Every structure is written in C-alpha cells, then in structure tokens.
Amino acid sequence: MHFSFWEKTGFAVLITAWVLWGSDQIGDMLVHADELAENAYKIEVADAGPTEGAVVEEKIEVSAVSLLASASADGGAKVFKKCQACHSVEKGGPNKVGPNLYNTVGGKIAGHDGFSYSDALAGKGGQWTYEELDQFLKSPRDYAPGTKMTFAGLKKASDRAEVILYMRDHTDNPPPLP
Ligand code: HEC
C-alpha cells in the first residue's frame, strides 16, 4: 500500500491528536483518582471516634445543677479553700481581691456593694441562678471574657455543685433547689 505524503501527514495528525486526547483522559483519571483518594481519607478522618467521645464526656460533665440534690455543702467548704485567698463568704465579710460572696446565690450578678467589678461581669446583667453559677465557675474566662477573676475554674461538676451549695448555705433567702 502506498500512501501519498498528504495521507501520511493526515494519519500523523490523527495519531497525534489521539495520543494527546488519550493522555488528557489519563490525566483526568489521575486527577480524579486523587480526588477520590482525598475523599476516602476525609471520610476516614471523620471517623471522629475521640471527638464524639469528648462531646459525650462534655455532656456528662456539663451541669453541676443536676448534682445539687445529691451534693454536700460540707464538701463545698473544702472546695472553697481554693476561693478563700480572694473571697470571704461570711455575712458582713470583707471584699478581698474578689467580692464578699454572702447572699450571692440568687442575687444580682456583680451586685455586691463596694466592689469594683470588671465591665465584663458588670455588663452581664441578671441573677446568679444555679445555672449561671455553674457556667461561671466552670470557666470564668469563657463565661465573662475579660473578667477580673483570674481563676481557671472548677472542671469537676461535683466540685461546682458542692461549692454552690456551700455558698447557698451563706445566703439569706436562696432560690429553691432545682
Ligand atoms: C485569684 C482570685 C480569685 C479566686 C481564687 C476566686 N475568685 Fe471569684 N472573683 C474574683 C474576682 C476578682 C471577682 C470579680 C470578677 C469581675 O469583676 O470580673 C470574682 C467574682 C466571683 C463571683 C461573682 C460575684 C458577684 O458579686 O457577682 C463569684 C460567684 C465567685 N467569684 C466565686 C468564686 C468561687 C466559688 C471561687 C472558688 C472556686 C472563686 N470565686 C475563686 C477573684 C477570685
């Protein structure tokens, strides 16, 4: 078979075009494979074992309020040792680094006379309900960013429940326990 120059050129062009197209396809496949690999990886990462575990733990930890009924104020006296450097809790006790905490439970947030609160806490408004106290004592900084209370917080819900009961014992007309 004899092909003319133009026929040969035509085949050459066709073959080149086919090879180029083919490599393009292969390229696509490679890119696609990459995407797949990435997706598969992401899904694996989203196995979220530890994260979910942490969330569940967080939920269990979240509230001291549910523990109030079973917690003891006596235990709270012990927990309060962590607060004593900055707080008195007796009626008529002095403000120290922090305000006196008599009548705090159920009272106005940032409401103790003669103490100069941070704007962060003064701007909160509302009352120290058991829920609010629980949140504040868990992490003062998260509850009121910029608070002057430089105390990391009580991570254990049982500690918070006990110290809240202890403060409640130093309150004239505390709100009923939930
Ligand atoms: C390093 C000192 C320090 C320690 C320790 C500390 N506090 Fe405070 N606390 C403060 C200061 C300062 C404020 C005022 C915060 C502000 O104005 O932002 C405050 C505010 C408070 C308030 C709000 C009072 C109000 O009148 O609204 C409560 C409740 C409280 N503290 C409870 C506790 C308890 C309970 C502990 C111990 C578990 C504790 N604090 C440990 C310094 C401290």
Side-chain angles (χ1 to χ4, degrees), residues 135-147 149 151-154:
Q135 292 304 311
F136 178 60
L137 293 178
K138 187 174 174 190
S139 173
R141 232 166 308 169
D142 288 342
Y143 178 86
T147 178
M149 177 152 142
F151 175 76
L154 297 170

Side-chain angles (χ1 to χ4, degrees), residues 62-79:
V62 90
S63 176
V65 176
S66 56
L67 301 176
L68 284 173
S70 58
S72 96
D74 293 347
K78 219 167 120 199
V79 178

Side-chain angles (χ1 to χ4, degrees), residues 15-176:
I15 286 165
T16 309
W18 182 79
V19 165
L20 286 177
W21 176 82
S23 66
D24 207 34
Q25 290 300 101
I26 291 166
D28 274 358
M29 278 160 71
L30 287 178
V31 168
H32 200 59
D34 270 359
E35 277 167 13
L36 278 183
E38 207 181 301
N39 276 346
Y41 176 66
K42 270 184 192 147
I43 287 158
E44 233 178 282
V45 162
D47 81 33
T51 315
E52 249 175 60
V55 169
V56 170
E57 227 174 76
E58 180 71 7
K59 275 184 188 149
I60 293 168
E61 264 292 327
V62 90
S63 176
V65 176
S66 56
L67 301 176
L68 284 173
S70 58
S72 96
D74 293 347
K78 219 167 120 199
V79 178
F80 196 77
K81 291 201 161 63
K82 297 185 179 176
C83 325
Q84 258 167 0
C86 302
H87 292 289
S88 68
V89 73
E90 288 73 34
K91 188 173 192 168
N95 293 329
K96 301 186 185 173
V97 177
N100 169 255
L101 293 177
Y102 191 81
N103 271 347
T104 297
V105 178
K108 258 176 65 185
I109 294 178
H112 195 81
D113 282 344
F115 185 82
S116 132
Y117 291 91
S118 68
D119 292 344
L121 204 62
K124 273 279 172 189
Q127 257 82 37
W128 282 125
T129 61
Y130 295 110
E131 285 83 5
E132 300 288 322
L133 278 172
D134 180 30
Q135 292 304 311
F136 178 60
L137 293 178
K138 187 174 174 190
S139 173
R141 232 166 308 169
D142 288 342
Y143 178 86
T147 178
K148 287 205 288 189
M149 177 152 142
T150 53
F151 175 76
L154 297 170
K155 295 292 164 254
K156 277 173 68 182
S158 55
D159 283 352
R160 300 197 296 275
E162 287 179 347
V163 88
I164 289 170
L165 279 188
Y166 180 75
M167 286 193 286
R168 184 179 190 271
D169 277 359
H170 295 81
T171 299
D172 284 336
N173 295 302

